[in-house]
Amino acid sequence: MALASAPAFAQTTESEDVGVGPAEAVDDASAPQTIVVTGSRIKQPNLESASPVTVVTSEEVTQTGTTRVEDLVNSLPQVFAGQGANVSNGASGTATLNLRGLGSERTLVLVNGRRLVPGDPTTSAADINVIPAALIDRIDVLTGGASSVYGADAVAGVVNFVMDTDFEGFKLDTQYSVYNHDNRNKSKYTDALDAKGFGYPRGMSTNGGAFDITASFGAGFDDGRGHVMGYVGYRKINPVLQSSRDYSACALSATASGNPPYTCGGSATSPQGTLFYFDNFGDPTDADGDGVADSFTSTIGQFGPNRTLLPGFTQYNYAPLNYFQRPDERYTAGVFADYEISEALHPYMEFMFMDDRTVAQIAPSGNFGNTVSINCDNPLLSPEQKAVICDNENLLVSPLAADAFTVVGNVAAENQARIDRGLGEPLLPTTPYMFGPASGQYTRGFAQILRRNVEGGGRRDDLQHTSYRAVLGTRGDLSPVWSYDMYYQYGRTNFAETYFNDFSVTRISRALDVVTGPDGTPVCRSTLDGTDPNCVPWDIFSPGSVTPSNEAINYLQTPGFQRGVVSEQVASGYVSGALGEYGIQSPWASEGVGIVLGAEYRKEKLDFFADSAFQTGDLAGQGAPTLPVAGSFDVKEFFTEVRLPIVQDSWLHDFNITGGYRYSDYNTGYSTDTYKIEGELAPTRDIRFRGGYNRAVRAPTVQDLFAPQRVVLDGSTDPCAGFAITAADTGCLAQGLSVGQTVAPNPASQYNGLIGGNPDLVPEVADTYTVGVVLTPGFLPGFNASVDYFNIKVEGAIQGIGADTIIDQCTNNNDQFFCDLIHRDASGSLWRTSAGYIEDLSQNIGRLETSGIDVQAGYSREIGSAGRLGLTFVGTWLDTLTTNPGVGDDVECVGLAGNQCGTPNPEWRHQARLSFDWTNGMGASVRWRYFGPVDLDSTNPGASHFNAVNYFDLAFTWEVGDHYDFRLGANNVLDKEPPITGSQTCPAGFCNGNTFAQVYDALGRYIYAGVTLEF
């Protein structure tokens, strides 16, 4: 086992010293003459890359015990966390890469230099679950735009997985791994848990076992003219629940005082059933005399034994059932083959298959306030419960209008009717009312019932991705000058999602609308009137009345189905010329001008379907409807690349310039020009300067263009709600409100937004600059180092402005552009009906920028007859990581994480490995991963700082003869706990279990053992 890091050179011959870092260039006349590196299609001998490239070799894959490739790549300081196995709430089921923190859709993923199909209907990002770790030869990570070479989406850079397609023989690789953590039960967690009576684990917890096996076989035939290699693989990963770690046993919430640092948050949707009764809803009075109009008064109760109503409620701990690591089962298979018919005709093919199935589990569904009224003739209610609910809420009179929120008509006559019937206080003509579920009822205010479906278990999101990738092509040499490569590629991902254990909103309403049946037993009103003969009453008004076998659970629980197909077709071809054969070369160079001329056609298509439960928003735990999407786009492109060797082994050791250009014509009505210019200057063999400029683009995805526009929960504030509008509130008046009007706020701080596709989008444009120096001093054999500066600026970024930003700009700045995006319903609300919303469609607005310095170094040498010593180092200093939504000031995210900046972005990250390989075949190494300190970007109280984190990993290998390689190791060998934060600064999709689980080692120590048999 040997490790080294080197500057970004092409790998021209097999190197002994490999690891994290690019492989070393070899100036050898006998070297192969068909070298192609990531970032260029020009074939030249002894070609170095002018762009910074980090190479992760197969040895590093082995030494880290990798079964999930994203875990390995995410450990590089250039890569930030994307989707992965430690995401549960908000999981897509895929594994994505986020290079430079600019987003997964701005990172282009290749396999053997060709695109990988989008991995999910929701995104254009590739799913690298398709990559079997045991088949990786190396991984090239190229920084900066590469659109002129590979087309759109290579904004942050390129990750190219180079597979070991030349393998011959038979190889069986198998590994088992497990997570192990000692729950130390620190008081900052346990005090919060004890205060709520929540349980938590104690002592050692070992779980999350994973088994991975891959068999590969390869052989040459016809005297070496042909070669074929195939593989099959299986991987199974077991789940880890948040209940197995003390720091994730409840959802922590930071306290204002910091003493104690946390409390255990919970949900009001208690298993016992919580009743929220809101009275005087929207009544512009000032009952407490504080000078501010009261929006409502509320009563909170919890259903108790014997159908009582107890004051207050018991919070529900929703954390324990959430998956900290999702279960996963994956099958892979593939074939790579080629056959040389002649020098000019060398056909080849690639085929890769993956079937991956995972389950994302979160806390049970239930009634999340989806019902806002209870019929007072419900026989399941006790007199005590009716006294609180019905006497105050339901007004048993005829409706005066069809409007769901405002009573109009002869209010005086209705009030007299109420007095005659002895029904209490009269109606108020200015007060909003909401109609109840039964005929002849409406409410002043509303009652919400919140209750968890603890009897039915957690919500389980079953996600399956089946991916196919096929390449058919041919390459060859047409003459000593010209060669070519042309291929057709088809990729397809079939997506299937089945969401289990969610509740139907419609059925909840029917199951709570219970009356006395003809035989005197409680029965659903919908059963009697024929609306729903299958309805079963949900008796939640006394604990213990609902059991796991209760028929009401089977009635209420309904699955949701989503299906989709993403496909990508690429037809590409180019010719490459070495024009030195024609004498076209510099007088100071030994090589001639290299040129590439090519054309490409690409088509991407999406068909996505959701069933009626998803489309209508009937699933209680989803938050918004999910609508079908269908669309496609294609692009026709021409590209060229030219390399000009100016000086070689003359008065300079090397000086060359490379340029590239690509023209892209999209059928959606726009075209783009991308280009690059790069240069290298090496006064001597010991030092090389390099730099480049790239213009790159990211084209809108099918979802960006064609996703249906729909109203969903999108904002959290309404600054014009909760008080009587005055003439001074000009921003509110610009939204259509009037003086004296009072708009009721949403008690849950949730407001509507219109989101969806925008067919007028155009590609983002990015400018990338890199400059660096490479050191390979001859006086220190085996040492190499590189330092590179990068700067990436994205303009016209495709993104939504944000509902809260829009309404803030209108209200505070009276900006008419933003005010025109606000649409209030008849009552002035942005949440009561779908007619009230903020238009927040994606636009080409705002910008992103990142800059910093990458440092790589490596050293390798023989230590007498004992063996070989190796050292590698890769680090990144982050100078800027800036976002701007198109309004207001830039948001700088270096050293920050949280609601604005998402995943942690430390100023400095690195990893280093020290290794030694003995001549007897045994080897050992230690890896040091450093993640710098991070502050939380929120003004919320509590923990606002993550200390720097140091992880140490150990690996041992043993080569037994020519056929057996054993490995044993532990990552995070000291079992360091991850940094913990409160829910206020833990955004969904980035956070899980009170930590950024895809960033830090969230589950503790990772132990693995594996063996490779090769014949």
Side-chain angles (χ1 to χ4, degrees):
M1 177 181 64
L3 295 176
S5 178
F9 293 148
Q11 185 167 332
T12 58
T13 63
E14 185 175 350
S15 173
E16 279 186 70
D17 307 321
V18 289
V20 174
E24 189 172 353
V26 177
D27 289 320
D28 184 351
S30 65
Q33 302 299 302
T34 57
I35 303 163
V36 177
V37 296
T38 300
S40 174
R41 283 193 167 99
I42 294 177
K43 297 179 179 181
Q44 292 285 342
N46 308 320
L47 176 65
E48 300 89 3
S49 171
S51 296
V53 178
T54 298
V55 175
V56 181
T57 66
S58 57
E59 284 80 359
E60 185 71 9
V61 175
T62 300
Q63 291 168 344
T64 54
T66 298
T67 59
R68 295 189 297 243
V69 176
E70 71 270 22
D71 293 344
L72 172 64
V73 182
N74 282 343
S75 69
L76 296 175
Q78 301 96 326
V79 183
F80 293 66
Q83 279 281 338
N86 295 112
V87 177
S88 191
N89 194 354
S92 68
T94 64
T96 63
L97 300 177
N98 178 7
L99 188 56
R100 298 297 181 193
L102 295 178
S104 298
E105 292 186 335
R106 298 184 180 94
T107 300
L108 183 62
V109 178
L110 310 174
V111 174
N112 295 334
R114 303 177 186 91
R115 283 177 176 264
L116 193 59
V117 64
D120 189 79
T122 61
T123 178
S124 64
D127 179 10
I128 62 171
N129 275 314
V130 73
I131 307 294
L135 267 293
I136 293 174
D137 181 53
R138 72 177 195 270
I139 306 170
D140 295 345
V141 181
L142 178 144
T143 293
S147 290
S148 64
V149 178
Y150 298 113
D153 306 336
V155 171
V158 171
V159 179
N160 184 19
F161 292 91
V162 181
M163 311 305 289
D164 185 12
T165 59
D166 295 328
F167 172 74
E168 294 190 359
F170 174 79
K171 180 166 64 175
L172 183 68
D173 183 272
T174 183
Q175 178 178 290
Y176 182 78
S177 59
V178 70
Y179 285 98
N180 170 261
H181 175 68
D182 180 20
N183 290 293
R184 302 168 178 87
N185 301 140
K186 296 178 180 178
S187 61
K188 62 180 179 180
Y189 315 135
T190 58
D191 287 351
L193 287 157
D194 289 336
K196 292 290 180 70
F198 296 160
Y200 52 89
R202 293 168 173 81
M204 196 67 70
S205 179
T206 301
N207 45 26
F211 174 72
D212 187 50
I213 184 170
T214 303
S216 55
F217 44 88
F221 58 91
D222 195 11
D223 295 327
R225 296 170 66 89
H227 184 270
V228 63
M229 193 280 284
Y231 68 91
V232 292
Y234 174 76
R235 182 185 72 185
K236 184 176 178 61
I237 300 175
N238 293 323
V240 177
L241 292 170
Q242 289 185 21
S243 60
S244 68
R245 302 294 187 267
D246 54 5
Y247 46 79
S248 60
C250 75
L252 296 173
S253 180
T255 63
S257 66
N259 186 24
Y262 298 107
T263 61
C264 271
S267 170
T269 51
S270 68
Q272 294 82 2
T274 305
L275 173 73
F276 280 75
Y277 170 65
F278 298 95
D279 193 14
N280 295 336
F281 182 67
D283 189 0
T285 60
D286 182 17
D288 56 8
D290 64 356
V292 178
D294 304 323
S295 58
F296 56 80
T297 58
S298 63
T299 301
I300 303 175
Q302 177 175 289
F303 296 118
N306 301 318
R307 305 190 185 277
T308 56
L309 192 60
L310 306 177
F313 66 93
T314 302
Q315 282 189 319
Y316 173 68
N317 185 9
Y318 55 82
L321 282 179
N322 289 12
Y323 279 148
F324 222 160
Q325 173 178 274
R326 300 193 315 268
D328 181 270
E329 189 170 28
R330 184 192 69 174
Y331 297 87
T332 56
V335 177
F336 302 89
D338 65 278
Y339 183 77
E340 184 181 8
I341 298 174
S342 67
E343 288 188 357
L345 189 60
H346 192 151
Y348 60 88
M349 65 86 67
E350 298 179 0
F351 176 77
M352 299 177 70
F353 165 81
M354 176 205 73
D355 182 81
D356 182 81
R357 183 179 180 185
T358 185
V359 176
Q361 178 173 289
I362 59 176
S365 184
N367 188 349
F368 298 100
N370 304 101
T371 55
V372 294
S373 188
I374 305 173
N375 59 301
C376 292
D377 53 349
N378 191 324
L380 299 177
L381 290 175
S382 68
E384 176 186 349
Q385 293 170 340
K386 286 184 180 181
V388 175
I389 300 171
C390 298
D391 289 354
N392 292 321
E393 182 191 357
N394 290 306
L395 311 177
L396 303 180
V397 295
S398 300
L400 296 177
D403 190 295
F405 293 101
T406 305
V407 174
V408 296
N410 191 348
V411 178
E414 193 63 43
N415 283 338
Q416 186 59 52
R418 288 185 54 78
I419 294 171
D420 293 342
R421 297 180 187 182
L423 293 178
E425 65 176 312
L427 301 176
L428 301 177
T430 59
T431 300
Y433 291 82
M434 180 179 291
F435 288 115
S439 176
Q441 297 179 9
Y442 51 80
T443 67
R444 180 186 182 188
F446 61 90
Q448 285 185 314
I449 294 178
L450 296 88
R451 189 187 188 280
R452 287 282 174 170
N453 175 31
V454 292
E455 297 81 12
R459 284 167 283 175
R460 296 174 59 83
D461 193 5
D462 191 322
L463 301 158
Q464 184 173 16
H465 295 82
T466 304
S467 176
Y468 307 85
R469 178 181 181 271
V471 179
L472 292 174
T474 183
R475 60 180 182 266
D477 296 327
L478 302 174
S479 71
V481 177
W482 297 99
S483 62
Y484 75 97
D485 191 342
M486 56 191 300
Y487 66 90
Y488 170 77
Q489 173 180 315
Y490 178 77
R492 175 187 176 111
T493 299
N494 294 343
F495 167 74
E497 177 182 14
T498 305
Y499 205 97
F500 293 103
N501 291 0
D502 211 343
F503 266 14
S504 162
V505 174
T506 302
R507 295 182 182 182
I508 293 173
S509 298
R510 292 172 179 171
L512 290 177
D513 186 13
V514 179
V515 296
T516 303
D519 60 355
T521 61
V523 63
C524 297
R525 190 187 307 271
S526 59
T527 300
L528 294 181
D529 62 21
T531 304
D532 186 353
N534 298 315
C535 180
V536 179
W538 190 30
D539 184 5
I540 62 173
F541 304 105
S542 182
S545 298
V546 182
T547 64
S549 60
N550 192 284
E551 292 183 2
I553 300 300
N554 296 328
Y555 168 73
L556 293 169
Q557 287 183 163
T558 183
F561 300 95
Q562 297 186 130
R563 300 292 184 266
V565 176
V566 185
S567 63
E568 180 181 73
Q569 299 181 67
V570 179
S572 182
Y574 66 89
V575 292
S576 177
L579 304 185
E581 295 288 334
Y582 296 149
I584 304 177
Q585 66 184 75
S586 165
W588 304 292
S590 57
E591 299 173 20
V593 173
I595 187 170
V596 165
L597 298 169
E600 186 167 296
Y601 170 81
R602 177 166 53 94
K603 181 176 182 178
E604 296 194 10
K605 183 178 180 181
L606 167 64
D607 286 299
F608 173 75
F609 173 77
D611 70 357
S612 60
F614 273 109
Q615 288 191 47
T616 60
D618 189 51
L619 298 177
Q622 299 303 305
T626 302
L627 302 180
V629 185
S632 66
F633 70 85
D634 61 60
V635 54
K636 303 176 182 69
E637 300 179 296
F638 164 79
F639 59 89
T640 184
E641 193 175 358
V642 179
R643 181 174 184 264
L644 306 174
I646 297 174
V647 181
Q648 292 176 313
D649 295 318
S650 181
W651 46 280
L652 292 173
H653 173 63
D654 187 26
F655 177 38
N656 65 79
I657 297 175
T658 302
Y661 173 79
R662 177 179 290 248
Y663 173 77
S664 305
D665 182 21
Y666 290 82
N667 72 329
T668 47
Y670 49 79
S671 61
T672 61
D673 299 278
T674 54
Y675 38 86
K676 71 171 183 177
I677 183 167
E678 300 172 330
E680 297 175 276
L681 173 63
T684 70
R685 291 177 178 268
D686 296 352
I687 186 169
R688 177 180 297 271
F689 300 97
R690 61 187 179 189
Y693 164 74
N694 280 264
R695 165 61 63 91
V697 298
R698 180 177 85 86
T701 68
V702 176
Q703 284 276 7
D704 290 334
L705 294 168
F706 306 117
Q709 298 179 3
R710 70 267 190 203
V711 175
V712 302
L713 297 177
D714 188 45
S716 60
T717 63
D718 183 356
C720 296
F723 62 93
I725 304 296
T726 69
D729 300 311
T730 56
C732 297
L733 297 175
Q735 301 168 32
L737 299 176
S738 58
V739 174
Q741 184 174 4
T742 298
V743 176
N746 186 316
S749 298
Q750 296 177 327
Y751 296 90
N752 293 335
L754 179 71
I755 66 169
N758 182 354
D760 297 326
L761 292 172
V762 298
E764 304 172 343
V765 176
D767 293 313
T768 299
Y769 303 86
T770 58
V771 60
V773 60
V774 177
L775 303 174
T776 53
F779 62 84
L780 187 59
F783 175 81
N784 45 73
S786 64
V787 180
D788 290 278
Y789 169 81
F790 64 89
N791 184 290
I792 305 172
K793 298 178 180 179
V794 182
E795 297 288 347
I798 299 172
Q799 58 188 353
I801 300 174
D804 291 341
T805 300
I806 291 170
I807 198 167
D808 178 74
Q809 289 293 317
C810 173
T811 306
N812 295 326
N813 300 330
N814 202 10
D815 189 313
Q816 195 59 45
F817 170 80
F818 295 100
C819 293
D820 289 342
L821 300 176
I822 301 171
H823 306 270
R824 294 184 177 271
D825 68 11
S827 67
S829 175
L830 292 172
W831 65 276
R832 285 178 169 178
T833 69
S834 59
Y837 60 86
I838 296 175
E839 190 175 327
D840 189 21
L841 303 176
S842 293
Q843 303 184 41
N844 289 102
I845 191 168
R847 64 184 183 86
L848 306 168
E849 181 178 358
T850 185
S851 64
I853 295 176
D854 290 332
V855 180
Q856 301 186 50
Y859 181 64
S860 176
R861 66 169 297 169
E862 296 285 347
I863 307 298
S865 61
R868 176 175 290 272
L869 175 71
L871 173 67
T872 64
F873 179 89
V874 180
T876 296
W877 174 68
L878 189 61
D879 181 34
T880 62
L881 183 59
T882 303
T883 64
N884 188 302
V887 296
D889 298 329
D890 290 346
V891 177
E892 178 55 66
C893 288
V894 173
L896 297 175
N899 298 320
Q900 286 184 307
C901 294
T903 186
N905 307 293
E907 187 175 2
W908 175 257
R909 287 174 63 185
H910 75 245
Q911 66 165 296
R913 187 181 290 275
L914 175 67
S915 66
F916 194 86
D917 291 331
W918 286 271
T919 54
N920 63 2
M922 298 186 71
S925 73
V926 57
R927 181 173 63 157
W928 172 26
R929 291 177 286 140
Y930 175 84
F931 205 93
V934 175
D935 291 324
L936 279 301
D937 62 18
S938 174
T939 58
N940 284 301
S944 59
H945 180 76
F946 289 170
N947 292 326
V949 178
N950 294 277
Y951 294 117
F952 294 96
D953 311 326
L954 295 178
F956 301 93
T957 61
W958 186 23
E959 299 178 6
V960 182
D962 297 328
H963 305 298
Y964 302 93
D965 292 339
F966 295 92
R967 60 184 179 272
L968 175 68
N971 298 337
N972 187 13
V973 68
L974 300 179
D975 186 25
K976 190 173 185 63
E977 292 183 345
I980 299 299
T981 184
S983 57
Q984 302 100 323
T985 51
C986 208
F990 295 103
C991 241
N992 193 24
N994 303 314
T995 188
F996 292 86
Q998 287 295 125
V999 176
Y1000 300 103
D1001 289 16
L1003 301 179
R1005 185 184 298 111
Y1006 174 75
I1007 303 171
Y1008 63 90
V1011 59
T1012 302
L1013 287 68
E1014 186 172 342
F1015 299 93

